[in-house]
Every structure is written in C-alpha cells, then in structure tokens.
Amino acid sequence: METIQITRAGSLKAKPDPKTLGFGKIFTDHMFLLDYTAGQGWHDPRIIPYAPLALDPSAMVFHYAQEVFEGLKAYRRPDGGVQLFRPGENARRMIRSCERMCIPPVPEEMFVQAVKTLVGVEKDWVPSEPGTSLYIRPFIIATEPALGVHASPRYLFIIICSPVGAYYDTGINPVKIYVENEDVRAVKGGTGYTKCGGNYAASIRAGERAEEKGFAQVLWLDGVERKYIEEVGSMNVLFKIDGTVVTPALTGSVLPGITRRSCLELLNSWNVPVEERLISAQELFDAADSGRLEEAWGSGTAAVISPIGELDWAGRRAVVNGGQTGPLTHKLYDTLTGIQWGTLPDTFNWTVEIP
Ligand SMILES: *Cc1c(COP(=O)(O)O)cnc(C)c1O
C-alpha cells in the first residue's frame, strides 16, 4: 500500500472520564480515510483530524445502502502495551461482505495496516480501567452521486475509534431474551452472513418491541420456517445441552462471529464436544423442560460473552441454570477476556501488538 499520510490535529480533545464512557458516543482525535475510484483502485490512504464528511446528497449509500462495516477492539495490557484481537479475521470477513455487496474489497494487509497505524496514532485513547477498551469501526460507503441502481464506481473506506466502557459494570449478569416470531433478520441468499448496515435497519423494530416488553435482546429464528434458531441480537448464540455445546451452523443467514469461532476453538482445546448444526426452538425449549439445557450465552465483540438467564417463546418460558451464569460460560468469558486484555498467555497467537 502507499504510505499513509498523517495530518495531526492542531489541538487534542480532553480525554473522557473512563467511568462514564458508555458505548460509541465519544470519538477520538483522528480518523483513517482511503478512496476508491474505478480504474484506479484504492488510493490516498490518510489519517486526518476527526471531522464531519462532506458528501453529495445523491451519494448512493444514502439511497440504496451499499455499505459494509466491521467492529473490533484495542485492549490495554497490564504492562501498558496495546493489542488487537484477531484483526486479520475482521479483514477477511469484510472482504466476504464486500463481495456480496458488490464493493471492491480492501486487501487484508491494507486493512490491518490501516487499523494498526490509526490505533498507533490514538494510543493514548486506549483506556486502562478494567473492562474498558478502544472500539474500532472500519466501514465502506458508496459515494458516487447518482440515483441509478447499480454498483457505485466510487467508495470511501473509513476507520473511526471510540473509547468504550466496561460492558458489565455490576459483574457479568444473565439477560432475558425474547424469541421473535414475526420479523426475521435474514434469509438464505440474502445478506445475513455479511456485516452490512441494511441488516441492522431491518432488525430495529423487533429489538424495540422486545425492549418494551422488558427483554434485553431478540432471538432470531430462520427466515423461511421460523423454526430454527439463528442469532441473538447482534451476537451469535451457543447452548450447552447434555454436556455438548450446540450452536447454529453457518448456513448463510447467520453472521460468522469471530468471538463465536474463538469460543469453538477454545472448547475444542478443552475437549468439550461441540456441534454446529440446525437447532429448532422446539428442541431448545424441550431440552429446557426436561432439565437438559444447562447453559446458554451470546458471543460478540462488544460484550464478549453474554449469559442468557431466560428465554420466552410464544408463551413458553425457559429458565437457564436457575437464571445464573453457568460455569462453562464463565470459563469462556474469563479465558477470552484474559487473552484480549493480556492477563493470560495467548497460546493461540490471536493478539497483535501495536508498536
Ligand atoms: C458482528 C456480529 C456478530 C458478532 O461477531 P463478532 O465477530 O464476534 O463480534 C454476531 N451477529 C451479528 C449480526 C453481527 O453483526
């Protein structure tokens, strides 16, 4: 890649109080930009002061949502160093999202180099309070000013960063999940396996309704039969049934989470039996009724592991492990967060240090 041109901000923002960070509300001093022009490819990588963009109101992204994004974090280690968790996986997933959305892919090395360079510039923004991190949001938008429905000949790849608070202020607490029977998130042949904004736009209604009813998240069923479990909110979902960990197979409508994959790799290394397969809501609730549903949790970059204490589906209720976090859920949480924040040895070579 061309050398990344760095223009530093004239004055730096005051760093926020690490205790009141929340999620994605505060942004750092700089952002990364990279242009794409048909015939020329990706060009002009640069880091400039964080500021609003000027885009034509006819820019294609506003009308037809030709957009993809990623999400990863930079973590402050006890020795003061800063590290990323499996950034190459985010780069490769974004390439697969791009292919589906007819967006020219950003090569893996370019993606990782851009993230490393920007986080290097913003190193002081990586907080050190327990559980906090710097959330990194790479995304690509179609910028061509035109209303015809076709692939844009111009794009912008942007990376912004936001210091985020500890997901669990009061300890890791199980959540209540509503099994959504009406709206669906994705169908086979659609865009469910990509990280694109459109998937989220379509998911908001069910999320709002579930929240009104007092649930933390929606559990999505498959878009055709509304029978098989797919994901929970913006997380993958895993269940321990009769000693075996069962998680929905990546059938095309499920997002291939990096946390999900890391859970499966850890479970394999611990010799815990794992099955990636179709699992129906019926099977899950029957397992709960007969006492065989031992644990349930969601997995994703934001929360890492989110234990599920209760599931409600069409008038049926399943309480998991007495509403308490199960031991395997806890072990996964402790191990993943230990590797991410550098308090446990990284025997899988998952972390990448920021020089
Ligand atoms: C990002 C995302 C996940 C989790 O992926 P991670 O790589 O583990 O963060 C799960 N489901 C959806 C719909 C997502 O967008």
Side-chain angles (χ1 to χ4, degrees), residues 44-61:
D44 286 311
R46 57 203 183 275
I47 289 171
I48 61 170
Y50 184 95
L53 301 169
L55 288 174
D56 198 293
S58 64
M60 292 178 72
V61 63

Side-chain angles (χ1 to χ4, degrees), residues 140-213:
I140 304 177
I141 53 173
T143 53
E144 177 74 357
L147 297 182
V149 180
H150 58 81
S152 172
R154 276 196 269 181
Y155 299 88
L156 199 51
F157 173 46
I158 308 173
I159 309 174
I160 54 175
C161 301
S162 169
V164 296
Y167 200 87
Y168 299 106
D169 307 328
T170 54
I172 164 169
N173 276 323
V175 292
K176 270 172 68 178
I177 300 291
Y178 181 76
V179 182
E180 173 63 32
N181 252 328
E182 229 176 282
D183 289 359
V184 298
R185 193 191 79 92
V187 291
K188 228 167 280 179
T191 55
Y193 68 91
T194 72
K195 257 183 132 64
C196 70
N199 286 343
Y200 278 79
S203 78
I204 288 171
R205 183 168 77 172
E208 297 283 308
R209 285 178 182 161
E211 248 172 63
E212 275 165 30
K213 293 185 191 124

Side-chain angles (χ1 to χ4, degrees), residues 69-72 85 89-90 93 135 137 185 192 194-196 199-200 220 230-237 253-262 299-304:
F69 68 94
E70 270 301 328
L72 67 162
F85 183 72
E89 295 289 331
N90 295 93
R93 184 169 64 191
Y135 186 78
R137 168 54 58 84
R185 193 191 79 92
T194 72
K195 257 183 132 64
C196 70
N199 286 343
Y200 278 79
W220 299 104
E230 300 227 306
E231 303 201 40
V232 32
S234 51
M235 291 185 283
N236 295 109
V237 66
S253 44
V254 173
L255 197 287
I258 296 160
T259 319
R260 170 189 184 275
R261 179 163 172 185
S262 305
S299 74
T301 296
V304 192

Side-chain angles (χ1 to χ4, degrees), residues 237-249 260 263-268 270-277 279 283 292-297 299 328-329 332:
V237 66
L238 301 93
F239 306 100
K240 182 162 171 268
I241 302 172
D242 264 342
T244 296
V245 171
V246 181
T247 190
R260 170 189 184 275
C263 282
L264 298 184
E265 290 173 23
L266 282 172
L267 292 165
N268 274 325
W270 299 336
N271 294 316
V272 175
V274 169
E275 292 175 3
E276 293 177 76
R277 62 171 172 83
I279 171 165
E283 176 186 346
R292 290 174 300 116
L293 175 59
E294 294 157 358
E295 300 186 37
W297 65 94
S299 74
L328 190 59
T329 309
L332 280 169

